[in-house]
Structure formats: C-alpha cells, structure tokens
Amino acid sequence: MSVQSTGARGASFAARPAWVMLAALCSAFMLSHAYRTAAAMMAGRMQADFSLTPQQLGSYAGAFHFAFGAMQLFVGLAIDLHGVRRTMLATFPLAVVGALVSALAHSYPLVVLGQVLIGVGCSAAFLVCTVFITRYFAPERFASVSGIVLGIGGGGMLLTATPLAWVVQEVSWRAGFLVLAALSALAWLLIFVVVRESPLQQPRQRESLGAAVRGMARLMALPYTIGIMALGAVTYAAFMSLRGLWLGPLLVERYGYTLVESGNVALLVSVVSIMGPPLFGRFGPQGKGRRRWIVSCTFALVGLFVAMALAPNAGAVLACSLLVGFLSGFIVLQYADVRASYPIALTGRAMSLLNMAMFLGVALVQWLSGAVASLAHASSWHADIYSAALGLIAATLVLGVIAFVCLPAPD
C-alpha cells in the first residue's frame, strides 16, 4: 500500500492513510480543473458584457495558464523547503481571492487579473499530488496512481459543464465565480484538517532559489529534455483549448446550441476525459513502447482537430470532441516518460519543468488560437474563426510531435 509506517515518529501519520490525504489534495486539483475550463461556459456572456474580440478572449483564458506555468519553479522549491501541506495552504487562498475579484470585476483588465490570481493560487494543485505520490507510493505504482489522480482531478470539469452553464444562463457568469470561490474555500479547509506529513518523508536537503534555477538549467541542457518539453507544451494545450475555451462558443455560434445544451456536450466530453488517464495509466506500455503510443496518440489528435475544423455538422464535432477527451488521457504516459527518463533525484524538478511547459503551452496556444481567429474574422475572405482556431491547434501538435521524434531520446 503506502510507505509511511517506519518508527514512532511516523506512527501518528500512519493512522491517516495516504489515500485519504491524497483525496483531500485532489479536491483542490478538481477546483483547478474547474477554473481552467470555466471560460468555455462564461465566454459568450463575458464577451458581450465587455465587447471582447476573439484575441482578447484567448488572452483572458490563457492568463490562468500563464500564471500557473510561470509559478511551477517556485512551487517546486516551496514543496522542497516547506512540504506539500504548507505549500498548498499558503497558495490556494489566492484562488479564492481571484474568483472574488473576477466576480466583482467591471472591466476586462480586472477579470484578467482575477485569472492571474486564480492561476497562482492553483499552481501547486497538481504538483503537490505528484510529489505526494512519489513520496508515499511505490515507484511501480506511479503511473497507475497518477492516472487515477488525473481522472479524479478531471472531475472538476463536470462542474463547469451543465451545472455552470445553468448558473450562467439563469443568473450570471459572476455567480459562477462566486460558487467556485465558495467551493475553493471548502477545499482549503479540507486540506487543513486532513493532510499531515510524516517527518520521515520531509526532504533532508534544502536549496536556494539560485540552486533551483541552476538545477533547471542542467535539466534543460540534457539533449532529450527539449523534445519532451516541446511535446508537453502542445498536447495538454490542445485539449484545454478545446474544452476550456472554444467548445462552448463553437456549438452556440456555429450550430445554434443554447448555453445549457453546449454545457451538456461539455459534460459528456468531461466524463469521457476522466476515463482516459486511469486506463492509459493502467494499461499503457512501458519502455520504448510507451513513446510509440505517445507519438501515435498525438497524430490521432491532429486528425481529430482537422476533422473538427472541417466538420459539416454538429454531430461530427461532438464525436471528435469525445474522442479528443478520451485520447488526451495519454498525457499520463508523458508524466511516466519523464519519471523514467531522469534520475530519481531529478524527478521532482523534471515534473515541475513538464508542468511549466504544459501550462505555458496552454497559455500560448490559447492566445495564438485567439489571434488567428481574430485575423480570420477580419480578413476579406471572412473565414470561419473556429476553423482557423482548430487548425492552429492541429499545427502546434504537428510541430510538437516532430520535435519529440526528431530530437534525441533518453537512453
């Protein structure tokens, strides 16, 4: 089971199973997923209230991910210095503050500020779960337990599907942020009450910020790091740009869905996406076979985004969206690939670097897709903005997988 029961100092800790504490940490991870996908249901009403262009909408959605990604180095250092519990308790209140700022905002800059605060507040949510798994579960269980955690965390997307769509449609998008703020406060309280760390599992060596930066630089100097991070920057970004930004507006504006109907589709996509990580984590291959799966699944995503860009009807978009949701579960194999590619002493830092690449990638892809959509709308051909955005996402996936395949691989 877990590995936390050595000696008298760990006795009180052992009375609280690792799974229970991991579940408490997952509550914040679920809310992190809810925040990063809320824009898909709020975008239309927010766009109308603030007269936003598609590019501004992409920048708004990307602000969370930019803040989240930029914080990964500091979060990793904080976990090393202060542990999982303290890091989470110190950062997550900013998500509550950011949600309240967003709910009360009366200008575009303020809602972007709210997204930045939420991104900083949620920045530790997944990394604390990953580090906790590394410290309290056997190495051979990393992929399977991580897959379960990713699946549970993805449950937060259920909140921002039909439930959030109903709140936005019947009340307002501001009420949606108030609900998320209240749930975040409850998650913080749960972590405060439930999570404890054994002194035996606290890191023995502490390092300065400068040493942490130099450690990251050493990782980046390894010949295979760039390829791993290049693909990491686009795979999760593709799914999040669809589910977290474009899916709702696409269904409402191109196919005439109501907001709640588009929320129902988002709910289906979210449910399917929750199934993917545990299955890929449990049945995915090891060694070189794992990398072949990663490449194959990425090319499959390329095909699905191209199909959605050219889709003749809503049914085709629905089918492709469901497949994208499920296939995106292979991202757990990317984490397992990092776990296997670096020495154990560098694993936490490498995970932090992958998180940084993934979330900065989401910010970049959402911004770029918004920029391309704005250009398409302003062009003399009056091209479909959603085809342009989805085509841009497919192109980034192609570039990422080329880097992954062509750059050196781990020995």
Side-chain angles (χ1 to χ4, degrees), residues 89-311:
L89 292 178
T91 56
F92 202 55
L94 285 175
V96 180
V97 174
L100 294 175
V101 168
S102 299
L104 300 174
H106 290 284
S107 67
Y108 174 68
L110 279 179
V111 293
V112 172
L113 174 62
Q115 286 293 98
V116 170
L117 290 171
I118 293 169
V120 174
C122 293
S123 59
F126 180 57
L127 192 56
V128 294
C129 294
T130 303
V131 172
F132 191 91
I133 294 167
T134 300
R135 292 180 182 173
Y136 297 108
F137 292 85
E140 61 271 15
R141 300 187 63 192
F142 179 84
S144 59
V145 177
S146 295
I148 293 171
V149 166
L150 284 169
I152 293 172
M157 292 186 290
L158 304 183
L159 294 174
T160 55
T162 305
L164 181 63
W166 183 87
V167 170
V168 172
Q169 181 171 287
E170 298 300 321
V171 187
S172 71
W173 59 267
R174 299 179 188 278
F177 274 117
L178 291 175
V179 171
L180 291 174
L183 292 174
S184 299
L186 290 175
W188 183 92
L189 184 61
L190 180 64
I191 292 169
F192 178 80
V193 171
V194 171
V195 177
R196 294 290 183 271
E197 289 188 272
S198 167
L200 298 172
Q201 294 292 340
Q202 292 289 350
R204 297 180 183 276
Q205 287 188 325
R206 298 187 175 188
E207 60 182 346
S208 66
L209 177 60
V213 172
R214 288 191 295 272
M216 285 290 189
R218 287 194 296 272
L219 277 182
M220 292 299 296
L222 292 173
Y224 51 83
T225 296
I226 299 298
I228 291 173
M229 300 307 157
L231 187 61
V234 295
T235 49
Y236 185 59
F239 173 66
M240 288 307 303
S241 296
L242 175 67
R243 172 60 183 86
L245 178 58
W246 295 114
L247 182 60
L250 168 66
L251 293 171
V252 171
E253 295 185 19
R254 185 194 273 181
Y255 299 111
Y257 278 43
T258 67
L259 190 59
V260 170
E261 286 172 341
S262 70
N264 292 337
V265 174
L267 180 65
L268 283 174
V269 173
S270 301
V271 169
V272 171
S273 72
I274 291 170
M275 300 175 185
L279 290 175
F280 278 100
R282 176 68 179 83
F283 299 107
Q286 304 294 317
K288 293 182 179 179
R290 181 195 292 129
R291 294 196 132 224
R292 286 193 292 269
W293 272 44
I294 290 172
V295 171
S296 298
C297 289
T298 304
F299 276 119
L301 286 181
V302 171
L304 290 169
F305 275 95
V306 170
M308 280 189 287
L310 304 175

Side-chain angles (χ1 to χ4, degrees), residues 29-39 153 155-157 159-160 164 180:
F29 185 37
M30 288 178 66
L31 268 300
S32 173
H33 267 281
Y35 282 119
R36 71 186 71 163
T37 53
M157 292 186 290
L159 294 174
T160 55
L164 181 63
L180 291 174

Side-chain angles (χ1 to χ4, degrees), residues 31-113:
L31 268 300
S32 173
H33 267 281
Y35 282 119
R36 71 186 71 163
T37 53
M41 295 300 108
M42 297 181 177
R45 301 296 173 89
M46 193 178 292
Q47 192 172 23
D49 284 356
F50 297 123
S51 301
L52 304 181
T53 66
Q55 183 171 357
Q56 287 177 312
L57 198 59
S59 299
Y60 158 76
F64 169 98
H65 300 92
F66 179 81
F68 191 110
M71 284 295 295
Q72 290 307 298
L73 171 61
F74 305 102
V75 167
L77 179 60
I79 292 172
D80 284 344
L81 292 174
H82 305 294
V84 165
R85 181 178 186 270
R86 289 182 180 178
T87 299
M88 202 63 219
L89 292 178
T91 56
F92 202 55
L94 285 175
V96 180
V97 174
L100 294 175
V101 168
S102 299
L104 300 174
H106 290 284
S107 67
Y108 174 68
L110 279 179
V111 293
V112 172
L113 174 62

